[in-house]
Amino acid sequence: MFVHTVFFWMNPGVSDADRKQLVNDCLRYLGKCSTVRQIWAGPPAQTPREVVDNSYDVGLTVVFDDKAGHDAYQEDPSHLEFIRRNKQHWQRVQIYDFIQPK
């Protein structure tokens, strides 16, 4: 299993509608990619603990069978359309990928 987790920080002044579009587009566009097995997206849960980073605006987690599935996703037209529709609203994007060993 390959887990791809992305955190988005939006540009100052971005509207709530743009944040909502990002969440919806995560599910709508990225969920279409044939190698995606599971997908979740949403705002931070605002859990008030010292070790929790709640500074991002939208989080995304996508699960693939393997690295090959992830690599195909990166070039998938739905993924590229998602980026095209939303990148102007991002100030920062941070990605964490990990694998589940067999």
Side-chain angles (χ1 to χ4, degrees):
M1 180 185 330
F2 189 102
V3 180
H4 177 68
T5 301
V6 185
F7 297 97
F8 300 92
W9 285 262
M10 307 301 271
N11 288 319
V14 167
S15 70
D16 288 340
D18 291 328
R19 282 185 183 83
K20 187 173 182 174
Q21 175 183 305
L22 179 60
V23 171
N24 291 338
D25 283 0
C26 284
L27 303 174
R28 178 179 175 199
Y29 288 93
L30 304 179
K32 288 182 183 179
C33 299
S34 65
T35 59
V36 170
R37 297 299 168 243
Q38 295 181 328
I39 186 169
W40 302 276
Q46 298 301 331
T47 47
R49 295 183 4 234
E50 187 175 308
V51 297
V52 176
D53 179 359
N54 288 301
S55 68
Y56 63 94
D57 293 289
V58 174
L60 165 69
T61 297
V62 185
V63 177
F64 306 93
D65 289 337
D66 51 26
K67 185 178 182 304
H70 165 269
D71 293 349
Y73 160 87
Q74 291 298 324
E75 301 301 322
D76 189 285
S78 293
H79 181 251
L80 299 176
E81 178 65 10
F82 165 79
I83 293 169
R84 186 195 67 73
R85 285 177 52 84
N86 292 283
K87 70 180 178 181
Q88 71 274 11
H89 301 300
W90 305 334
Q91 177 179 30
R92 175 179 170 211
V93 176
Q94 183 69 49
I95 299 171
Y96 296 95
D97 293 333
F98 68 92
I99 58 169
Q100 172 81 36
K102 292 181 181 182

